[in-house]
Amino acid sequence: MKSDNKWIYEVLLLVFLILAISSGIRYFNNDPLFSFGEFYDDLRISHDLSEGNHYDVLQSRNHSISLTHYLLSLISSFSHEAMVLLAAVLGLASLFLFFKLTSIFIIDKRTNIFLTLLFGVSPAFIYLFTRLNELTIATFLSFLFAYLFLKKNNWSIIVLVLLSTASFSFLIITLLLASIYLFYRMKQKQLLTLLIPPIISFITFAFFHTGFLNNFFSDISFTSFFTEFGAMIGIPFFYLFLGIIGFFKSWRRRIDFSYLLLSIIVILVISLFNPAGRIFLTAYASIFAGILLNFLIDRRWEIIIIKKFTLLLVLCVVLFSTISYIDMTANSEPMNELENALIFLKSQSDGTVFSTQNNGFLISYFSDKKVFLDDNSIHAKNYDSLRQDETSIFYSRNLETTSTLLTDNSIHYILITPVMKQGAVWRKPTDGLLFLLENSDAFTSIYFEDNIEIWEFNKWNQ
Amino acid sequence: MNKRLAVTYLLLIFLVTFLSRAFVSFQTDEFAYDAYFSLRQVESIKNSGLPLFNDPLSFGGRVHLFHPLFYYFISIFASIGSGLASKIIPNLLASTIIFAIYLLSFHITKNRSVSLLSSFMSGFIPVFFINFNDISSNALMIPLTFFLLYSILKIDQPKHLGFALLFLVLLVLTSASVFMVILGLLLFLLLTRVESLEVNRKQQEFILFASFLALWFNFIIFKKAFIMHGPFVIWQNIPVQILSRFFFDLNLLQVTYYVGFIPLVLGVYSIYHVLFKQKKRSLFLFIALFLSVLLLLWLKLIQFELGLVFLSFALVLLSSHTIKQIHSYFKKTKVSNYANLVLVGLFVLFVLTSVIPSFTIAFSSINNVPSDSEVKALEWLKENSDMDAVVLARPQEGYIINYFAERKTVIDYNFLLVNNVQQIYEDVQSIFSLRLKTESLRRLNKYDVDYIYFSGRFGVDKKLYYIDEECFPLVYDDEIKIYSVECSLQ
């Protein structure tokens, strides 16, 4: 039997391989290394920050800056490959801390190995540590704080102060979990010592960085909760399912697991409307799923074949979640084709680009052009009116209406991706704007490759 | 009664059940409107070895999500003709329910006469005759479910463990309704705990595994649908306008008619007897099944007819316990020689209250098939329209247009993975009732409609009001009218 430490190193190695595969697929496909648009906004902010700009000149609004952007600005000269490597190293450090943390609550070493592995191959973990964003840094700091806090190390306060400038959501959740722990251990007196430094640092940071205090609550929906339904930061359905069974299994030993059983209720509620909550929920679900897995292996089965099938099924379920998430990230924008189109757009004269909201960050980053809408526009006061205009432009077949809206919003370019034509926006080639582009002289096609189209609105050339 | 005689009677009951179903089924050459989806799947498997997951005709081209096993099963016998196989095989499969009920009933009562009566009752449950001409996978799923339950009850024997695994895998590959069974099994475990009955560890392990397997497999199959519709997958994305046709409130009178008076009364008494008088572990399984289906029906989470079918069979099994009680009681009295007459009396009562309604329902359901004139019109359409032509018809007629005319339709009754289904349904229905030509044209152009198929069979409108020769020339004029759409709005 190998020693426990040796097992954890093998788990870390396996997780490193999975992180490497996730980024490796994109690397070998010549796609930009980071999937989804958010991280490209972070890169743009950190780039501006390295030049001393807190204001987004392109989008004419304040940048939403956190500690992560300062850290990113320090390594802005790094290549994307180096950033991926750094993220993976941070991931392994976080996973090791997670292992150490759970070892405090769960004495059984095999259970600890299982739950560490489950967390390490979870979609949320893969998302976090294949990039270096606000949540990546906050997760690491949160785990580091928890470990130092439980070991009664005073450095924990410093880490908590850093966390308070990294992510508001993580700060709230971490403080809640730490407070529950203090109440659970009857150490309420320490609460003030715990709360005051991070609150002061948070208020100070938020005062100098408008936009840092973003919305803690987001919409509750299945599509943002479960990764199988397309959630970028979500929980796999079967992690939750295994976790729930594990929870009830742990209920028998509720004295031993009382802190975990108590705190998960808070996490479950927060996870419904907050992505950071869903990261914690994945961690908790991994813990209870690990407990269940250990129980399934240890149980004296009456039917051995059912034991084998059940464990095989659990393995398939976990593999399925991991593989389908890696597949999702590998096939997410930005792909090489879109990058080429946006690099072409960069060479064109300045002007606002119209596309779907989720293409916004990518357009700004790769083409250095202003966009009509991106995911940060949601904080704009006239967001509803912008969305109405967007809908009208997409679906109207009236040239006059569309031209007026494009002119009013100073839109020069229209970017159309294959996904938009395959149901995300339009169903048929004769729908709304597609009809106008094909049948009106008001637009000129300036780029058409790999089914990606860029059209120029001619009004600005007249 | 000796075993050999019981087997003879059982085979006789099977023959009577099968021949009754086949007799009614062969009263018409056609199938129910919904059956033509299944027929296309069977023919696709027969021709290419694969079902039509990517259907170029339904909703103008879409992806179907379904469990393929049942269609494969019928296609094995399709060499005798897809139509003939689709008439015989589902009825044959559905009739096998009597074997499962006999075995379960015998497991409960250890009395062959009572078990034979129960198996006969299961063959003539009125609600099981409602959709018997629609080539539904329920014909395979329902017997499989009860064979699975029997194997679970006897799981201590290695032979039955193998059967249980086999039935489970087949069931998971046949229908998503396996969830109903899983829910029943989990409730069974809960009830045995609550009632402090001995928990069979083998059953517990098997049920845990079955839950994992069913959940995971269905999750993989319906993943896309979950992404698209979220929890509305349960209601199959059926437009709210017609949702109440599939999921509706329980009505005691209706339930009594569809389930049958005898199984209902005796079954409910059995529940009372088992819960409050004599706890019998095997019966808790059927009480759990009954309660879980009742709950799902009450919450409108399963289709009414399917829920009633499960409810009926659970009640038939529970009533076998009551029949045994009655039979045993009479055996202890001074008229013990006439105890079997009680069974005969129950049989006669059952014939009057269930067998006759079963045939009434069955004969009325054979009227719900496309008429010769509809088939003729669709064959004309097949010969006289472009391959890419889009035909607009009522949702009920979608499958027959795909099958007979082999043309694209705007809508049918399979709504899963369809975007904006409410809008499409509303647009299609409004085209049959609108008065304004421009508005109708706008909607027809929206779906690129080339032909309007008007049978007048569904809906209240007996004619299309905006029709004129210029824009909508009548290209087929018989009992069925087919109009060509010649104009478009600029």
Side-chain angles (χ1 to χ4, degrees):
Chain A
M1 185 76 183
K2 291 179 183 178
S3 73
D4 298 327
N5 279 347
K6 194 156 186 182
W7 276 111
I8 186 62
Y9 294 132
E10 286 183 4
V11 167
L12 292 176
L13 183 67
L14 182 71
V15 171
F16 180 77
L17 281 175
I18 285 170
L19 294 176
I21 288 169
S22 185
S23 300
I25 293 172
R26 294 188 70 89
Y27 179 80
F28 287 111
N29 286 340
N30 276 330
D31 294 328
L33 278 181
F34 308 106
S35 53
F36 311 119
E38 285 72 12
F39 185 59
Y40 293 95
D41 188 48
D42 290 332
L43 285 177
R44 212 166 56 78
I45 295 173
S46 62
H47 181 74
D48 281 357
L49 212 55
S50 64
E51 291 174 356
N53 291 333
H54 285 224
Y55 187 76
D56 186 349
V57 181
L58 205 58
Q59 295 300 123
S60 312
R61 65 187 176 210
N62 279 320
H63 276 312
S64 175
I65 297 167
S66 71
L67 173 74
T68 311
H69 299 113
Y70 283 103
L71 293 175
L72 275 177
S73 69
L74 293 177
I75 57 164
S76 59
S77 58
F78 282 25
S79 66
H80 283 190
E81 287 82 355
M83 285 187 193
V84 166
L85 198 66
L86 199 60
V89 170
L90 213 54
L92 296 184
S94 302
L95 195 62
F96 188 72
L97 284 169
F98 179 74
F99 171 73
K100 287 283 181 193
L101 265 174
T102 52
S103 304
I104 296 169
F105 294 98
I106 297 158
I107 293 140
D108 183 72
K109 290 294 169 196
R110 192 170 67 177
T111 307
N112 273 313
I113 295 291
F114 286 150
L115 60 90
T116 308
L117 181 63
L118 285 170
F119 183 55
V121 300
S122 68
F125 191 88
I126 295 170
Y127 171 83
L128 286 172
F129 298 106
T130 48
R131 68 209 69 229
L132 273 172
N133 65 8
E134 179 185 306
L135 298 173
T136 313
I137 304 292
T139 305
F140 172 73
L141 289 176
S142 188
F143 285 175
L144 183 61
F145 160 74
Y147 181 69
L148 294 174
F149 174 70
L150 291 173
K151 290 283 174 192
K152 298 185 176 78
N153 187 316
N154 288 336
W155 279 94
S156 64
I157 298 296
I158 305 294
V159 177
L160 193 59
V161 166
L162 284 175
L163 180 65
S164 71
T165 61
S167 163
F168 174 60
S169 303
F170 263 86
L171 176 69
I172 297 284
I173 295 169
T174 309
L175 286 179
L176 271 172
L177 292 178
S179 307
I180 294 170
Y181 183 79
L182 289 179
F183 275 102
Y184 168 70
R185 291 281 178 204
M186 306 286 188
K187 292 176 181 171
Q188 294 94 318
K189 285 178 187 169
Q190 290 181 20
L191 205 61
L192 277 181
T193 328
L194 177 80
L195 292 179
I196 290 171
I199 289 174
I200 291 172
S201 64
F202 169 75
I203 292 170
T204 315
F205 191 83
F207 180 77
F208 289 107
H209 299 85
T210 47
F212 175 61
L213 180 62
N214 50 24
N215 204 348
F216 187 72
F217 301 94
S218 59
D219 290 340
I220 300 172
S221 75
F222 272 90
T223 48
S224 58
F225 194 82
F226 291 114
T227 48
E228 287 86 352
F229 296 171
M232 205 163 54
I233 312 162
I235 178 162
F237 179 81
F238 280 97
Y239 268 60
L240 193 64
F241 179 69
L242 295 173
I244 289 170
I245 303 177
F247 177 88
F248 286 112
K249 214 69 237 173
S250 314
W251 193 255
R252 286 182 179 175
R253 292 171 58 195
R254 52 189 170 277
I255 306 296
D256 298 340
F257 295 128
S258 48
Y259 173 71
L260 290 174
L261 295 171
L262 194 70
S263 54
I264 194 174
I265 297 162
V266 177
I267 294 300
L268 191 63
V269 173
I270 296 173
S271 69
L272 295 176
F273 50 78
N274 189 290
R278 290 193 280 278
I279 292 168
F280 276 92
L281 185 66
T282 306
Y284 270 81
S286 303
I287 292 172
F288 287 110
I291 292 170
L292 175 72
L293 196 57
N294 196 46
F295 164 77
L296 291 178
I297 292 170
D298 274 353
R299 179 192 154 98
R300 195 177 53 80
W301 289 72
E302 293 286 326
I303 316 171
I304 298 301
I305 192 163
I306 293 285
K307 174 185 180 176
K308 286 178 182 167
F309 278 145
T310 306
L311 291 175
L312 184 69
L313 209 56
V314 172
L315 182 73
C316 288
V317 161
V318 174
L319 274 180
F320 177 75
S321 304
T322 309
I323 292 169
S324 60
Y325 190 77
I326 290 176
D327 180 60
M328 186 174 102
T329 53
N331 293 305
S332 295
E333 293 292 5
M335 310 279 265
N336 177 251
E337 295 80 9
L338 182 62
E339 186 189 18
N340 290 340
L342 293 175
I343 288 170
F344 166 82
L345 189 59
K346 191 175 184 175
S347 64
Q348 302 299 302
S349 56
D350 284 349
T352 305
V353 185
F354 178 82
S355 189
T356 52
Q357 184 176 308
N358 51 7
N359 282 334
F361 288 147
L362 300 175
I363 295 169
S364 308
Y365 179 78
F366 288 104
S367 72
D368 211 15
K369 295 272 184 294
K370 181 179 166 67
V371 289
F372 175 66
L373 276 178
D374 63 22
D375 287 339
N376 279 342
S377 308
I378 204 159
H379 306 300
K381 281 177 186 163
N382 61 341
Y383 179 66
D384 290 338
S385 134
L386 290 173
R387 281 309 293 255
Q388 269 179 21
D389 287 356
E390 184 200 41
T391 308
S392 303
I393 295 170
F394 275 141
Y395 299 109
S396 171
R397 296 216 310 185
N398 184 317
L399 183 61
E400 204 180 317
T401 311
T402 306
S403 294
T404 310
L405 287 170
L406 292 176
T407 311
D408 289 351
N409 289 293
S410 310
I411 292 166
H412 286 63
Y413 304 101
I414 296 162
L415 171 83
I416 296 170
T417 59
V419 178
M420 291 165 72
K421 290 188 280 186
Q422 287 158 6
V425 180
W426 304 286
R427 287 183 73 207
K428 290 185 289 182
T430 51
D431 281 347
L433 184 62
L434 288 182
F435 175 82
L436 292 179
L437 292 174
E438 289 296 335
N439 297 292
S440 160
D441 294 335
F443 306 95
T444 309
S445 171
I446 56 169
Y447 183 91
F448 185 88
E449 257 179 59
D450 303 311
N451 224 357
I452 295 176
E453 301 173 35
I454 301 176
W455 295 77
E456 187 172 11
F457 181 43
N458 289 338
K459 159 111 183 168
W460 309 103
N461 293 332
Q462 287 165 9
Chain B
M1 187 182 288
N2 65 39
K3 192 177 174 182
R4 203 167 175 177
L5 190 62
V7 171
T8 313
Y9 278 131
L10 190 62
L11 286 173
L12 199 65
I13 292 170
F14 173 71
L15 269 179
V16 170
T17 310
F18 171 62
L19 291 176
S20 304
R21 294 183 74 95
F23 171 72
V24 185
S25 184
F26 279 103
Q27 294 300 305
T28 170
D29 289 339
E30 305 304 338
F31 294 91
Y33 282 88
D34 290 350
Y36 289 91
F37 169 80
S38 306
L39 265 179
R40 287 183 67 221
Q41 298 302 336
V42 171
E43 289 185 359
S44 171
I45 294 171
K46 189 181 157 190
N47 297 330
S48 67
L50 289 171
L52 272 174
F53 287 118
N54 285 306
D55 187 343
L57 304 181
S58 170
F59 279 88
R62 50 86 65 87
V63 173
H64 287 299
L65 296 180
F66 57 86
H67 296 70
L69 184 73
F70 176 67
Y71 304 117
Y72 272 102
F73 201 83
I74 295 182
S75 66
I76 293 170
F77 302 93
S79 55
I80 58 167
S82 306
L84 192 61
S86 303
K87 285 268 181 197
I88 295 173
I89 304 302
N91 285 315
L92 199 69
L93 288 171
S95 305
T96 57
I97 185 71
I98 65 129
F99 295 117
I101 299 293
Y102 175 84
L103 291 170
L104 283 165
S105 178
F106 188 72
H107 180 81
I108 296 164
T109 62
K110 308 285 181 238
N111 184 314
R112 292 202 172 92
S113 305
V114 172
S115 305
L116 283 172
L117 180 60
S118 300
S119 73
F120 179 79
M121 283 161 76
S122 68
F124 292 93
I125 292 294
V127 71
F128 205 33
F129 278 77
I130 286 185
N131 295 324
F132 82 112
N133 221 358
D134 66 357
I135 322 179
S136 159
S137 60
N138 292 345
L140 175 60
M141 184 266 288
I142 290 163
L144 269 179
T145 300
F146 287 91
F147 278 117
L148 172 68
L149 294 181
Y150 178 69
S151 305
I152 291 175
L153 285 176
K154 310 266 283 181
I155 206 160
D156 286 329
Q157 298 172 17
K159 177 178 79 177
H160 285 285
L161 170 64
F163 280 132
L165 281 170
L166 175 72
F167 292 138
L168 175 68
V169 171
L170 293 178
L171 192 59
V172 164
L173 290 170
T174 303
S175 170
S177 306
V178 65
F179 281 114
M180 207 161 27
V181 186
I182 298 293
L183 191 68
L185 290 170
L186 292 173
L187 191 63
F188 166 63
L189 289 183
L190 189 73
L191 277 179
T192 49
R193 276 186 188 276
V194 170
E195 295 286 344
S196 308
L197 293 169
E198 183 202 349
V199 179
N200 183 323
R201 283 172 65 91
K202 284 186 180 176
Q203 286 177 353
Q204 206 178 13
E205 287 165 8
F206 185 85
I207 292 169
L208 179 74
F209 170 69
S211 312
F212 274 140
L213 184 69
L215 204 60
W216 187 57
F217 187 79
N218 283 285
F219 204 80
I220 291 174
I221 287 200
F222 293 106
K223 191 182 154 191
K224 266 189 183 175
F226 273 115
I227 292 173
M228 207 159 164
H229 311 302
F232 293 99
V233 170
I234 296 169
W235 296 281
Q236 296 157 38
N237 196 32
I238 294 172
V240 284
Q241 297 94 323
I242 52 168
L243 196 63
S244 58
R245 284 188 206 167
F246 300 91
F247 301 85
F248 45 92
D249 288 328
L250 283 172
N251 172 320
L252 188 63
L253 210 64
Q254 209 176 10
V255 171
T256 312
Y257 181 68
Y258 282 137
V259 172
F261 180 72
I262 297 290
L264 187 69
V265 172
L266 299 183
V268 169
Y269 175 77
S270 179
I271 294 172
Y272 161 76
H273 193 259
V274 173
L275 286 180
F276 300 107
K277 301 270 179 188
Q278 181 197 19
K279 295 190 193 326
K280 194 163 181 182
R281 200 173 169 282
S282 58
L283 280 168
F284 270 96
L285 178 60
F286 305 107
I287 292 176
L289 185 67
F290 173 84
L291 292 176
S292 60
V293 174
L294 197 66
L295 181 75
L296 292 172
L297 274 171
W298 182 51
L299 297 174
K300 296 184 193 171
L301 294 174
I302 48 167
Q303 290 199 9
F304 185 74
E305 284 151 12
L306 181 64
L308 278 194
V309 169
F310 271 95
L311 215 58
S312 308
F313 291 124
L315 284 169
V316 164
L317 285 164
L318 288 165
S319 51
S320 68
H321 173 68
T322 311
I323 296 171
K324 168 83 187 300
Q325 297 284 318
I326 297 170
H327 190 245
S328 306
Y329 172 77
F330 274 94
K331 281 235 164 181
K332 287 173 196 163
T333 63
K334 286 180 181 173
V335 288
S336 61
N337 290 344
Y338 300 102
N340 283 342
L341 275 182
V342 175
L343 297 184
V344 176
L346 282 172
F347 174 78
V348 172
L349 257 178
F350 180 77
V351 170
L352 291 174
T353 54
S354 286
V355 178
I356 294 171
S358 293
F359 279 103
T360 313
I361 288 171
F363 276 108
S364 69
S365 80
I366 59 169
N367 295 325
N368 185 30
V369 298
S371 63
D372 289 345
S373 53
E374 283 176 89
V375 176
K376 216 171 107 189
L378 291 171
E379 279 167 354
W380 179 89
L381 195 63
K382 183 181 175 182
E383 299 298 322
N384 296 281
S385 61
D386 285 345
M387 292 287 281
D388 283 343
V390 177
V391 184
L392 182 121
R394 296 276 189 187
Q396 293 91 331
E397 295 161 334
Y399 296 144
I400 59 166
I401 291 169
N402 295 159
Y403 182 78
F404 288 110
E406 294 175 17
R407 294 295 175 267
K408 289 180 178 175
T409 47
V410 178
I411 194 168
D412 54 45
Y413 257 16
N414 188 347
F415 302 105
L416 217 55
L417 288 191
V418 177
N419 265 324
N420 300 322
V421 75
Q422 320 272 5
Q423 187 64 52
I424 298 172
Y425 182 82
E426 207 173 294
D427 285 344
V428 168
Q429 296 295 40
S430 68
I431 288 168
F432 289 96
S433 58
L434 276 170
R435 263 49 174 185
L436 281 174
K437 188 171 127 187
T438 47
E439 187 52 29
S440 307
L441 264 177
R442 193 185 67 77
R443 294 182 191 198
L444 287 164
N445 288 170
K446 186 175 170 186
Y447 299 102
D448 296 328
V449 175
D450 299 301
Y451 294 96
I452 304 172
Y453 173 90
F454 185 74
S455 67
R457 186 157 184 175
F458 301 98
V460 288
D461 304 288
K462 295 297 166 201
K463 66 170 189 174
L464 300 177
Y465 296 98
Y466 49 81
I467 292 298
D468 65 23
E469 260 308 303
E470 188 195 342
C471 281
F472 304 100
L474 182 63
V475 291
Y476 183 87
D477 186 12
D478 198 353
E479 272 182 50
I480 308 297
K481 315 267 184 237
I482 300 176
Y483 302 94
S484 173
V485 180
E486 298 294 336
C487 300
S488 63
L489 285 182
Q490 294 303 312

